[in-house]
Amino acid sequence: MRFYIEPSPAGGWFVKLSGHDAPVSRHDTEEEALERRDAYQVGSSRKPTTGENVRLRDGSPVLIRPVRRDDKPLFVAGFEHLSDASRYLRFLGHKPGLSVRDLEFFTELDHEDHEAIGALDPFAGEGLGVARYIRLADEPRCAEAAVVVIDEWQGRGLGTALLERLVESARDHGIERFKASLFTDNRAMLALFRRIGDVTVVEAEGSMTEIDVAFSTADRGALKEALRIAARGEAGSA
C-alpha cells in the first residue's frame, strides 16, 4: 500500500490510498495529514501478528481480531473486493463508495456498545471480512448485527467464524440477542444467523425481512474451548 495527501475541496487535507478514489481520512492541517499518512504507511508494511489464528473449513488460515481505528485503509481496499451484488446485500441498496464519515463510523469503536470483529489474510495483511453489532439504545440487551465477507472468501466458513466471535463479545457485554435486516431471498445470510441461535421472523414485507436471533443456550465454556482450539489451528471453523 502507498499513501499520499491532497487538499480537500471543503478545506483541510485528505490522506488517500494509491489506486483508490475514496479518501482514507481527513485532517485539518497538512502536518496532521502527513503524520497520519506516515503512520498508515508504517502500519501497512508490517505483517499482521496480533489476533486469533483460525483455520477455515477449506484449510485457509486467517487472523481474526477486533477492528481498530487505523484499519481505515483495509476498509477502503476491501470495499473494492466486493461485487455490486455483495454491496447491495450488505448495505441494502446501491453503495458506490465509502465516505470519510463511513470509515470513521466503521473503525472508531468503543468495543462495548459498538463492536466489529475483522479477519485478515495473515500473509498479505488484506482485510477479508467483518462482523459488527451496534447495541440498540431502547433495548440494551439487543443489538443490530451484520456480516460482510469479500467475494473471493465467501463460502469458506469465514462468516460463521466471525459471527461466533461477535456473539462471544456481545455476551460479555450483556447482549442476549441480535436483530438483523436482510433481503428475503438472502438465504445464505439467514442460514448464517441460524448457526448462532434461534431465528424468529419479526416482520416480512415485500423484499425485506426483519429477524430476531436469540443466542444459543449451549454451554458457553464449550464454545469458548472450541474457539480456543480453532485459534491454535487444531480444528477448522464451521
Side-chain angles (χ1 to χ4, degrees):
M1 290 183 175
R2 297 187 63 183
F3 299 87
Y4 64 97
I5 70 169
E6 68 175 29
S8 164
W13 292 79
F14 285 142
V15 178
K16 302 189 76 172
L17 175 61
S18 294
H20 300 274
D21 293 331
V24 177
S25 56
R26 181 198 169 278
H27 307 274
D28 291 333
T29 67
E30 184 177 8
E31 290 75 17
E32 289 174 350
L34 288 169
E35 181 180 350
R36 180 47 44 193
R37 179 204 63 182
D38 293 344
Y40 287 141
Q41 195 67 62
V42 170
S44 67
S45 66
R46 294 173 179 166
K47 180 179 178 181
T49 57
T50 303
E52 180 184 354
N53 292 296
V54 176
R55 195 167 294 278
L56 303 180
R57 62 175 175 237
D58 71 345
S60 301
V62 297
L63 190 70
I64 295 180
R65 61 162 174 77
V67 168
R68 304 167 181 167
R69 63 187 302 121
D70 287 339
D71 286 339
K72 294 179 180 66
L74 296 177
F75 279 78
V76 171
F79 189 82
E80 298 300 324
H81 289 281
L82 292 174
S83 65
D84 288 342
S86 292
R87 295 179 189 179
Y88 191 80
L89 291 174
R90 167 59 183 90
F91 296 101
L92 304 180
H94 296 291
K95 183 76 170 175
L98 299 178
S99 67
V100 169
R101 183 168 294 183
D102 287 333
L103 294 169
E104 291 172 350
F105 177 76
F106 288 151
T107 62
E108 298 178 13
L109 318 172
D110 63 12
H111 300 287
E112 182 173 346
D113 294 329
H114 185 181
E115 177 65 291
I117 307 295
L120 302 174
D121 182 323
F123 305 110
E126 297 174 344
L128 307 177
V130 177
R132 177 183 311 276
Y133 77 68
I134 303 171
R135 192 193 303 267
L136 300 180
D138 57 344
E139 295 183 70
R141 294 189 177 276
C142 183
E144 188 81 20
V147 185
V148 63
V149 174
I150 65 172
D151 287 58
E152 300 95 314
W153 283 76
Q154 292 174 12
R156 304 190 192 189
L158 180 55
T160 300
L162 289 168
L163 196 53
E164 286 173 345
R165 285 148 183 83
L166 189 71
V167 167
E168 280 303 294
S169 178
R171 279 174 156 163
D172 288 342
H173 293 101
I175 294 170
E176 299 174 349
R177 70 186 200 279
F178 286 156
K179 287 187 177 181
S181 301
L182 58 152
F183 287 112
T184 303
D185 60 359
N186 191 350
R187 297 177 181 176
M189 190 59 64
L190 183 59
L192 182 60
F193 278 109
R194 281 177 171 156
R195 293 190 183 109
I196 64 164
D198 298 323
V199 174
T200 301
V201 175
V202 178
E203 183 178 357
E205 183 176 351
S207 63
M208 297 299 302
T209 296
E210 304 284 338
I211 62 172
D212 186 286
V213 188
F215 299 159
S216 172
T217 57
D219 180 61
R220 288 188 65 190
L223 177 57
K224 285 192 172 183
E225 176 63 14
L227 295 179
R228 185 182 63 81
I229 292 172
R232 296 204 307 263
E234 298 177 13
S237 297

